[in-house]
PDB file of all heavy atoms in Angstrom:
ATOM      1  N   VAL A  82      11.135 -18.691   7.894  1.00  0.00           N
ATOM      2  CA  VAL A  82      12.001 -19.836   8.069  1.00  0.00           C
ATOM      3  C   VAL A  82      12.988 -19.572   9.206  1.00  0.00           C
ATOM      4  O   VAL A  82      13.270 -20.445  10.028  1.00  0.00           O
ATOM      5  CB  VAL A  82      12.769 -20.178   6.743  1.00  0.00           C
ATOM      6  CG1 VAL A  82      13.863 -21.236   7.004  1.00  0.00           C
ATOM      7  CG2 VAL A  82      11.719 -20.668   5.734  1.00  0.00           C
ATOM      8  N   PRO A 283      13.102 -17.554  -4.127  1.00  0.00           N
ATOM      9  CA  PRO A 283      14.388 -18.094  -3.689  1.00  0.00           C
ATOM     10  C   PRO A 283      15.375 -18.282  -4.824  1.00  0.00           C
ATOM     11  O   PRO A 283      14.961 -18.465  -5.991  1.00  0.00           O
ATOM     12  CB  PRO A 283      14.010 -19.431  -3.038  1.00  0.00           C
ATOM     13  CG  PRO A 283      12.765 -19.861  -3.843  1.00  0.00           C
ATOM     14  CD  PRO A 283      12.034 -18.576  -4.167  1.00  0.00           C
ATOM     15  N   ALA A 287      17.654 -23.115  -3.072  1.00  0.00           N
ATOM     16  CA  ALA A 287      17.545 -22.567  -1.706  1.00  0.00           C
ATOM     17  C   ALA A 287      16.125 -22.590  -1.225  1.00  0.00           C
ATOM     18  O   ALA A 287      15.187 -22.568  -1.991  1.00  0.00           O
ATOM     19  CB  ALA A 287      17.968 -21.045  -1.672  1.00  0.00           C
ATOM     20  N   VAL A 288      15.954 -22.700   0.107  1.00  0.00           N
ATOM     21  CA  VAL A 288      14.628 -22.697   0.742  1.00  0.00           C
ATOM     22  C   VAL A 288      14.235 -21.225   0.779  1.00  0.00           C
ATOM     23  O   VAL A 288      14.991 -20.342   1.155  1.00  0.00           O
ATOM     24  CB  VAL A 288      14.647 -23.287   2.133  1.00  0.00           C
ATOM     25  CG1 VAL A 288      13.373 -23.107   2.868  1.00  0.00           C
ATOM     26  CG2 VAL A 288      15.093 -24.731   2.110  1.00  0.00           C
ATOM     27  N   PRO A 289      12.947 -20.944   0.402  1.00  0.00           N
ATOM     28  CA  PRO A 289      12.460 -19.525   0.507  1.00  0.00           C
ATOM     29  C   PRO A 289      12.583 -19.009   1.961  1.00  0.00           C
ATOM     30  O   PRO A 289      12.364 -19.751   2.901  1.00  0.00           O
ATOM     31  CB  PRO A 289      11.028 -19.600   0.011  1.00  0.00           C
ATOM     32  CG  PRO A 289      10.901 -20.877  -0.731  1.00  0.00           C
ATOM     33  CD  PRO A 289      11.931 -21.793  -0.092  1.00  0.00           C
ATOM     34  N   LEU A 292       7.366 -18.351   3.709  1.00  0.00           N
ATOM     35  CA  LEU A 292       6.551 -19.398   3.171  1.00  0.00           C
ATOM     36  C   LEU A 292       5.085 -18.950   3.300  1.00  0.00           C
ATOM     37  O   LEU A 292       4.687 -18.303   4.249  1.00  0.00           O
ATOM     38  CB  LEU A 292       6.784 -20.657   3.894  1.00  0.00           C
ATOM     39  CG  LEU A 292       8.217 -21.172   4.021  1.00  0.00           C
ATOM     40  CD1 LEU A 292       8.280 -22.488   4.891  1.00  0.00           C
ATOM     41  CD2 LEU A 292       8.827 -21.425   2.641  1.00  0.00           C
ATOM     42  N   VAL A 293       4.272 -19.427   2.256  1.00  0.00           N
ATOM     43  CA  VAL A 293       2.835 -19.226   2.292  1.00  0.00           C
ATOM     44  C   VAL A 293       2.368 -20.200   3.313  1.00  0.00           C
ATOM     45  O   VAL A 293       2.684 -21.358   3.263  1.00  0.00           O
ATOM     46  CB  VAL A 293       2.247 -19.464   0.936  1.00  0.00           C
ATOM     47  CG1 VAL A 293       0.731 -19.314   0.993  1.00  0.00           C
ATOM     48  CG2 VAL A 293       2.857 -18.451  -0.057  1.00  0.00           C
ATOM     49  N   LEU A 298      -3.173 -21.336   1.850  1.00  0.00           N
ATOM     50  CA  LEU A 298      -3.298 -22.330   0.788  1.00  0.00           C
ATOM     51  C   LEU A 298      -4.652 -23.100   0.778  1.00  0.00           C
ATOM     52  O   LEU A 298      -5.182 -23.351  -0.257  1.00  0.00           O
ATOM     53  CB  LEU A 298      -2.130 -23.372   0.908  1.00  0.00           C
ATOM     54  CG  LEU A 298      -0.724 -22.799   0.653  1.00  0.00           C
ATOM     55  CD1 LEU A 298       0.362 -23.882   0.905  1.00  0.00           C
ATOM     56  CD2 LEU A 298      -0.541 -22.291  -0.805  1.00  0.00           C
ATOM     57  N   LEU A 308      -3.825 -19.742  -7.525  1.00  0.00           N
ATOM     58  CA  LEU A 308      -2.875 -20.589  -6.794  1.00  0.00           C
ATOM     59  C   LEU A 308      -1.684 -20.965  -7.676  1.00  0.00           C
ATOM     60  O   LEU A 308      -0.566 -21.006  -7.199  1.00  0.00           O
ATOM     61  CB  LEU A 308      -3.595 -21.846  -6.317  1.00  0.00           C
ATOM     62  CG  LEU A 308      -2.695 -22.897  -5.564  1.00  0.00           C
ATOM     63  CD1 LEU A 308      -2.206 -22.280  -4.294  1.00  0.00           C
ATOM     64  CD2 LEU A 308      -3.528 -24.134  -5.244  1.00  0.00           C
ATOM     65  N   LEU A 309      -1.958 -21.189  -8.964  1.00  0.00           N
ATOM     66  CA  LEU A 309      -0.940 -21.502  -9.929  1.00  0.00           C
ATOM     67  C   LEU A 309      -0.033 -20.337 -10.325  1.00  0.00           C
ATOM     68  O   LEU A 309       1.170 -20.506 -10.455  1.00  0.00           O
ATOM     69  CB  LEU A 309      -1.495 -22.205 -11.112  1.00  0.00           C
ATOM     70  CG  LEU A 309      -2.333 -23.452 -10.926  1.00  0.00           C
ATOM     71  CD1 LEU A 309      -2.956 -23.937 -12.156  1.00  0.00           C
ATOM     72  CD2 LEU A 309      -1.461 -24.575 -10.268  1.00  0.00           C
ATOM     73  N   ILE A 312       1.335 -18.035  -6.613  1.00  0.00           N
ATOM     74  CA  ILE A 312       2.061 -18.692  -5.537  1.00  0.00           C
ATOM     75  C   ILE A 312       3.045 -19.691  -6.201  1.00  0.00           C
ATOM     76  O   ILE A 312       2.700 -20.558  -6.870  1.00  0.00           O
ATOM     77  CB  ILE A 312       1.113 -19.410  -4.554  1.00  0.00           C
ATOM     78  CG1 ILE A 312       0.271 -18.378  -3.867  1.00  0.00           C
ATOM     79  CG2 ILE A 312       1.878 -20.286  -3.556  1.00  0.00           C
ATOM     80  CD1 ILE A 312      -0.689 -18.951  -2.821  1.00  0.00           C
ATOM     81  N   GLY A 313       4.310 -19.413  -5.868  1.00  0.00           N
ATOM     82  CA  GLY A 313       5.425 -20.235  -6.449  1.00  0.00           C
ATOM     83  C   GLY A 313       5.638 -21.489  -5.707  1.00  0.00           C
ATOM     84  O   GLY A 313       5.199 -21.700  -4.578  1.00  0.00           O
ATOM     85  N   GLU A 314       6.369 -22.394  -6.324  1.00  0.00           N
ATOM     86  CA  GLU A 314       6.683 -23.684  -5.670  1.00  0.00           C
ATOM     87  C   GLU A 314       8.090 -24.124  -6.015  1.00  0.00           C
ATOM     88  O   GLU A 314       8.546 -23.952  -7.172  1.00  0.00           O
ATOM     89  CB  GLU A 314       5.690 -24.728  -6.270  1.00  0.00           C
ATOM     90  CG  GLU A 314       5.860 -26.113  -5.753  1.00  0.00           C
ATOM     91  CD  GLU A 314       4.858 -27.108  -6.368  1.00  0.00           C
ATOM     92  OE1 GLU A 314       3.747 -26.649  -6.641  1.00  0.00           O
ATOM     93  OE2 GLU A 314       5.220 -28.274  -6.597  1.00  0.00           O
ATOM     94  N   THR A 315       8.797 -24.594  -5.032  1.00  0.00           N
ATOM     95  CA  THR A 315      10.102 -25.094  -5.222  1.00  0.00           C
ATOM     96  C   THR A 315      10.318 -26.331  -4.296  1.00  0.00           C
ATOM     97  O   THR A 315       9.730 -26.401  -3.263  1.00  0.00           O
ATOM     98  CB  THR A 315      11.191 -24.056  -4.935  1.00  0.00           C
ATOM     99  OG1 THR A 315      12.513 -24.513  -5.273  1.00  0.00           O
ATOM    100  CG2 THR A 315      11.227 -23.636  -3.467  1.00  0.00           C
ATOM    101  N   THR A 316      11.167 -27.237  -4.748  1.00  0.00           N
ATOM    102  CA  THR A 316      11.448 -28.478  -3.974  1.00  0.00           C
ATOM    103  C   THR A 316      12.882 -28.483  -3.584  1.00  0.00           C
ATOM    104  O   THR A 316      13.771 -28.365  -4.502  1.00  0.00           O
ATOM    105  CB  THR A 316      11.014 -29.691  -4.774  1.00  0.00           C
ATOM    106  OG1 THR A 316       9.639 -29.698  -5.106  1.00  0.00           O
ATOM    107  CG2 THR A 316      11.325 -30.975  -3.945  1.00  0.00           C
ATOM    108  N   VAL A 317      13.206 -28.628  -2.304  1.00  0.00           N
ATOM    109  CA  VAL A 317      14.557 -28.675  -1.822  1.00  0.00           C
ATOM    110  C   VAL A 317      14.712 -29.877  -0.953  1.00  0.00           C
ATOM    111  O   VAL A 317      13.909 -29.981   0.082  1.00  0.00           O
ATOM    112  CB  VAL A 317      14.905 -27.383  -1.077  1.00  0.00           C
ATOM    113  CG1 VAL A 317      16.402 -27.444  -0.540  1.00  0.00           C
ATOM    114  CG2 VAL A 317      14.753 -26.142  -1.930  1.00  0.00           C
ATOM    115  N   ASN A 318      15.558 -30.773  -1.296  1.00  0.00           N
ATOM    116  CA  ASN A 318      15.800 -32.045  -0.489  1.00  0.00           C
ATOM    117  C   ASN A 318      14.436 -32.744  -0.288  1.00  0.00           C
ATOM    118  O   ASN A 318      14.119 -33.148   0.853  1.00  0.00           O
ATOM    119  CB  ASN A 318      16.417 -31.674   0.853  1.00  0.00           C
ATOM    120  CG  ASN A 318      17.805 -31.155   0.718  1.00  0.00           C
ATOM    121  OD1 ASN A 318      18.521 -31.488  -0.205  1.00  0.00           O
ATOM    122  ND2 ASN A 318      18.208 -30.277   1.647  1.00  0.00           N
ATOM    123  N   ASP A 319      13.706 -32.846  -1.398  1.00  0.00           N
ATOM    124  CA  ASP A 319      12.475 -33.613  -1.393  1.00  0.00           C
ATOM    125  C   ASP A 319      11.345 -32.980  -0.617  1.00  0.00           C
ATOM    126  O   ASP A 319      10.303 -33.611  -0.356  1.00  0.00           O
ATOM    127  CB  ASP A 319      12.652 -35.065  -0.910  1.00  0.00           C
ATOM    128  CG  ASP A 319      13.624 -35.892  -1.826  1.00  0.00           C
ATOM    129  OD1 ASP A 319      13.528 -35.670  -3.044  1.00  0.00           O
ATOM    130  OD2 ASP A 319      14.348 -36.682  -1.342  1.00  0.00           O
ATOM    131  N   THR A 320      11.559 -31.739  -0.101  1.00  0.00           N
ATOM    132  CA  THR A 320      10.482 -31.026   0.553  1.00  0.00           C
ATOM    133  C   THR A 320       9.994 -29.884  -0.301  1.00  0.00           C
ATOM    134  O   THR A 320      10.761 -29.107  -0.907  1.00  0.00           O
ATOM    135  CB  THR A 320      11.035 -30.461   1.872  1.00  0.00           C
ATOM    136  OG1 THR A 320      11.522 -31.551   2.690  1.00  0.00           O
ATOM    137  CG2 THR A 320       9.920 -29.718   2.623  1.00  0.00           C
ATOM    138  N   GLN A 321       8.680 -29.797  -0.382  1.00  0.00           N
ATOM    139  CA  GLN A 321       8.049 -28.790  -1.266  1.00  0.00           C
ATOM    140  C   GLN A 321       7.764 -27.534  -0.385  1.00  0.00           C
ATOM    141  O   GLN A 321       7.279 -27.550   0.705  1.00  0.00           O
ATOM    142  CB  GLN A 321       6.755 -29.273  -1.810  1.00  0.00           C
ATOM    143  CG  GLN A 321       6.051 -28.305  -2.778  1.00  0.00           C
ATOM    144  CD  GLN A 321       4.662 -28.777  -3.187  1.00  0.00           C
ATOM    145  OE1 GLN A 321       3.723 -28.662  -2.407  1.00  0.00           O
ATOM    146  NE2 GLN A 321       4.552 -29.349  -4.364  1.00  0.00           N
ATOM    147  N   TYR A 322       8.090 -26.362  -0.998  1.00  0.00           N
ATOM    148  CA  TYR A 322       7.916 -25.092  -0.306  1.00  0.00           C
ATOM    149  C   TYR A 322       7.071 -24.192  -1.269  1.00  0.00           C
ATOM    150  O   TYR A 322       7.270 -24.164  -2.480  1.00  0.00           O
ATOM    151  CB  TYR A 322       9.213 -24.392   0.013  1.00  0.00           C
ATOM    152  CG  TYR A 322      10.105 -25.199   0.948  1.00  0.00           C
ATOM    153  CD1 TYR A 322      11.136 -26.023   0.420  1.00  0.00           C
ATOM    154  CD2 TYR A 322       9.923 -25.117   2.303  1.00  0.00           C
ATOM    155  CE1 TYR A 322      11.942 -26.798   1.266  1.00  0.00           C
ATOM    156  CE2 TYR A 322      10.686 -25.851   3.186  1.00  0.00           C
ATOM    157  CZ  TYR A 322      11.687 -26.667   2.684  1.00  0.00           C
ATOM    158  OH  TYR A 322      12.469 -27.417   3.488  1.00  0.00           O
ATOM    159  N   ARG A 323       6.159 -23.396  -0.717  1.00  0.00           N
ATOM    160  CA  ARG A 323       5.362 -22.439  -1.465  1.00  0.00           C
ATOM    161  C   ARG A 323       5.714 -21.001  -0.994  1.00  0.00           C
ATOM    162  O   ARG A 323       5.821 -20.790   0.223  1.00  0.00           O
ATOM    163  CB  ARG A 323       3.833 -22.738  -1.260  1.00  0.00           C
ATOM    164  CG  ARG A 323       3.435 -24.137  -1.490  1.00  0.00           C
ATOM    165  CD  ARG A 323       3.811 -24.661  -2.880  1.00  0.00           C
ATOM    166  NE  ARG A 323       2.928 -24.037  -3.900  1.00  0.00           N
ATOM    167  CZ  ARG A 323       1.776 -24.564  -4.268  1.00  0.00           C
ATOM    168  NH1 ARG A 323       1.252 -25.673  -3.715  1.00  0.00           N
ATOM    169  NH2 ARG A 323       1.078 -23.976  -5.206  1.00  0.00           N
ATOM    170  N   TYR A 324       5.813 -20.056  -1.958  1.00  0.00           N
ATOM    171  CA  TYR A 324       6.146 -18.717  -1.638  1.00  0.00           C
ATOM    172  C   TYR A 324       5.440 -17.735  -2.537  1.00  0.00           C
ATOM    173  O   TYR A 324       4.860 -18.088  -3.538  1.00  0.00           O
ATOM    174  CB  TYR A 324       7.660 -18.545  -1.909  1.00  0.00           C
ATOM    175  CG  TYR A 324       8.129 -18.873  -3.263  1.00  0.00           C
ATOM    176  CD1 TYR A 324       8.093 -17.960  -4.304  1.00  0.00           C
ATOM    177  CD2 TYR A 324       8.529 -20.162  -3.640  1.00  0.00           C
ATOM    178  CE1 TYR A 324       8.543 -18.235  -5.601  1.00  0.00           C
ATOM    179  CE2 TYR A 324       8.955 -20.540  -4.883  1.00  0.00           C
ATOM    180  CZ  TYR A 324       8.948 -19.558  -5.874  1.00  0.00           C
ATOM    181  OH  TYR A 324       9.283 -19.864  -7.178  1.00  0.00           O
TER     182      TYR A 324
END
Side-chain angles (χ1 to χ4, degrees):
V82 172
V288 175
L292 306 178
V293 179
L298 292 173
L308 179 62
L309 301 176
I312 294 181
E314 179 181 327
T315 187
T316 300
V317 180
N318 296 327
D319 296 325
T320 300
Q321 183 187 76
Y322 300 95
R323 310 300 291 270
Y324 56 89

